[in-house]
Amino acid sequence: MTCTTEGCGRATSLYLCTACIVELDALLVDVPALIEMLAGVRAGTAVVRNPAAGSTGGHAGSKPPGSLDAMLLQAWLQQLPERAHTAAHDYPDAGQWLHMARIWVKQARELVWGPEEPVINHDANRQRLREAAPPMPTRELLPWLRKHAKITITSMDVRDWARRGKLRPVERDPLPTYHPHEVLAAWHDTRAQK
Ligand SMILES: [Zn+2]
């Protein structure tokens, strides 16, 4: 038969395919802790890192920030099965559980632990640099990379990479200039070798 998760479509002998079982388990593993911490949010004893759950949360009324959300999420999380494999085995609509777990666990994590840290995508950054940045001398390059690519390198790194042929200056006179995306590539290379 086919996995019951919407949009999955993999062939499986249970109601969930292996990939969906693994994904559901990864969500379920946090559920007991989240339920406990949500109780703390409701009681006002938990330190909630998410300021967005407060005045901008969109819930009218005099409830303490996040308390209504916490109550709902707690009730929803308690409905989730304990183990993904059991769900895949026993529930013909197990795909629905995965669908709901994705939403509820994410909301609960955000309420309790705060929004996820933005991930810096170095590959995308490098691509953007290639399109946007002209070659520049080292003393402009370093602050530029710190600001736009969130990496810190030293002029010694640049000299070292140039000496070892990892990096080729675009111009040599009056100062050597480098393509930022090539410097970033050299930086990646060096890190990959460590
Ligand atoms: Zn699946």
Side-chain angles (χ1 to χ4, degrees), residues 3-6 15-16 20 24 87-88 91-102:
C3 176
T4 58
T5 304
E6 208 183 308
Y15 294 114
L16 288 175
C20 287
L24 182 54
Y91 299 115
D93 56 352
Q96 271 297 312
W97 286 126
L98 175 55
H99 179 72
M100 297 323 291
R102 281 173 181 160

Side-chain angles (χ1 to χ4, degrees), residues 18-80:
T18 310
C20 287
I21 290 177
V22 169
E23 186 188 344
L24 182 54
D25 253 339
L27 292 166
L28 293 178
V29 75
D30 283 343
V31 166
L34 286 171
I35 289 176
E36 206 165 300
M37 292 175 83
L38 286 169
V41 173
R42 290 177 60 190
T45 55
V47 181
V48 179
R49 280 206 295 139
N50 181 10
S55 53
T56 56
H59 292 285
S62 57
K63 288 259 181 202
S67 129
L68 182 62
D69 291 340
M71 187 180 78
L72 289 173
L73 280 170
Q74 208 184 359
W76 291 336
L77 289 179
Q78 277 163 350
Q79 297 174 40
L80 288 174

Side-chain angles (χ1 to χ4, degrees), residues 159-174:
R159 266 205 304 277
D160 185 46
W161 295 332
R163 191 172 47 80
R164 296 192 343 227
K166 274 179 181 241
L167 198 58
R168 226 176 273 281
V170 182
E171 283 176 80
R172 290 178 190 275
D173 265 332

